[in-house]
Amino acid sequence: MSYQEGPSLPVATVARRLGVASTTLRTWDRRYGLGPSDRAAGAHRRYSPRDVERLSVMRGLVLSGVTPAEAARVALSDTAGQIAARPTGLREADGKDPHREQTSAGAPEPLRYAGTGGRVLPIPRATPRSRGLARAAMCLDEGAVMDVLQRALDEDGVVATWDTLLRPLFTAIGERWAHAGESVEVEHLLSECTTRALHRMCPTPASPVNPRPVLLACVPGDLHALPLLALCVGLMEQRISCRLLGAATPLDALAAAVRRTGPAALVLWSQTKDTAEGVFDAVPQLRPRTAIIVGGDGWPTTIPEHVTFATGLQHGLDLVSAAVRGG
């Protein structure tokens, strides 16, 4: 989108339009000179259409993993208008690399990316997209986080988004909290945004392939329902009907749900040690048999022979699919 005409706008309006915090705009003004052109003394500063265009370029490049300093350099250059005018924001229709600009000699020059993990969180083998998501999360920029997540889910699917984008970031946030006691608010915001993004991709299949549903539940005392929600989305993409009971499901409620639905598979999540005690004894034995699949780090080393441990999201999808289809 290119802002060629129009009235000047206050900082709050520009922030809402771009989906960033007002404090982020002030920081970009102070550090990189991406501020409003209208600086009349004694009046509130207002952003011109050209200012907003440059900020839109800045935001798009930062989300794609370009360092803020480099993104600001491009946003302030003569190429900013060309980038902002592209139909898809950052990706040209002809498939050219959107993060390359033309030098004075006409040769493409790649923009410099940040080191692994960006400036905020150490993420092994970080991609530009994961660095952009990490920056947005650390800034508590809800709009930017949702933008990255929705784009990743649409383009890469739930398994790739979970395994390559979200799991490494949640791990990095957890390590930061363990070492410095910081970033709980970042984890909460990212969890909330992830929940909303996944729910938008979770329509109930009109013609499910399984007459017996799949039950998904966290064990008592465990609140980490996001992995189960990701699994639920993946199952529904395969037209497998499931019931997500959510976090900290009491054992009596779990037993009642199993008796009531007679599920083809029961998936239990335990993230924390000692939360899974007594769970297997509480699950009713049914005919036909219910396949029991578990995931998370909270399970003991030895589990009953009739229980299968899922090593990851794709493995969990494969196990449930086999149970539903009688494999």
Side-chain angles (χ1 to χ4, degrees):
M1 181 176 184
S2 179
Y3 298 88
Q4 302 298 332
E5 303 180 345
S8 59
L9 302 172
V11 62
T13 301
V14 175
R16 286 195 300 271
R17 178 171 295 187
L18 296 179
V20 302
S22 298
T23 53
T24 299
L25 295 184
R26 295 188 180 98
T27 298
W28 288 353
D29 181 11
R30 184 176 67 255
R31 293 184 181 177
Y32 310 115
L34 278 169
S37 300
D38 186 356
R39 297 176 179 268
H44 292 292
R45 298 185 298 176
R46 301 176 69 86
Y47 289 83
S48 70
R50 177 60 172 161
D51 297 331
V52 177
E53 183 178 88
R54 287 171 170 166
L55 290 170
S56 180
V57 171
M58 172 77 174
R59 177 180 179 272
L61 291 174
V62 168
L63 288 181
S64 67
V66 178
T67 64
E70 191 68 24
R73 184 180 71 80
V74 175
L76 291 169
S77 70
D78 292 337
T79 62
Q82 302 172 18
I83 296 174
R86 293 174 186 169
T88 55
L90 290 177
R91 182 175 299 159
E92 291 180 331
D94 61 6
K96 294 180 180 178
D97 186 348
H99 304 137
R100 298 172 73 90
E101 59 177 336
Q102 297 294 319
T103 63
S104 57
E109 175 185 327
L111 297 175
R112 294 186 299 276
Y113 292 121
T116 299
R119 295 186 175 184
V120 291
L121 289 169
I123 304 174
R125 297 178 297 279
T127 64
R129 177 171 279 170
S130 62
R131 287 193 291 265
L133 181 60
R135 291 194 184 98
M138 290 298 290
C139 291
L140 300 182
D141 193 334
E142 179 182 345
V145 170
M146 290 296 298
D147 187 22
V148 176
L149 288 178
Q150 290 172 12
R151 190 180 308 160
L153 288 167
D154 289 340
E155 295 177 3
D156 302 330
V158 64
V159 174
T161 299
W162 181 261
D163 287 340
T164 65
L165 191 66
L166 286 167
R167 279 184 61 190
L169 183 51
F170 276 118
T171 298
I173 294 172
E175 291 174 351
R176 186 184 183 100
W177 178 85
H179 289 103
E182 299 175 349
S183 301
V184 173
E185 71 284 0
V186 178
E187 191 272 339
H188 282 203
L189 178 95
L190 183 60
S191 296
E192 174 62 24
C193 289
T194 302
T195 299
R196 286 160 50 195
L198 289 173
H199 272 301
R200 293 180 183 182
M201 296 189 65
C202 202
T204 301
S207 301
V209 298
N210 54 317
R212 299 167 62 202
V214 175
L215 283 185
L216 314 174
C218 290
V219 299
D222 196 295
L223 302 176
H224 300 83
L226 269 182
L228 292 180
L229 179 56
L231 179 63
C232 182
V233 173
L235 292 173
M236 290 191 176
E237 287 178 347
Q238 299 182 29
R239 293 175 48 223
I240 296 176
S241 174
C242 53
R243 309 285 189 271
L244 180 59
L245 302 183
T249 304
L251 291 183
D252 57 349
L254 177 64
V258 170
R259 293 190 187 95
R260 188 174 303 170
T261 61
L266 170 65
V267 183
L268 299 171
W269 185 266
S270 176
Q271 182 75 18
T272 309
K273 298 293 183 184
D274 301 326
T275 56
E277 185 176 354
V279 172
F280 299 129
D281 294 335
V283 177
Q285 299 296 317
L286 302 179
R287 290 289 183 272
R289 185 180 69 89
T290 295
I292 301 178
I293 301 163
V294 299
D297 297 328
W299 301 99
T301 304
T302 303
I303 57 178
E305 292 184 359
H306 67 284
V307 176
T308 307
F309 183 81
T311 58
L313 179 56
Q314 185 60 61
H315 189 210
L317 287 170
D318 294 340
L319 292 173
V320 173
S321 179
V324 164
R325 292 172 170 82

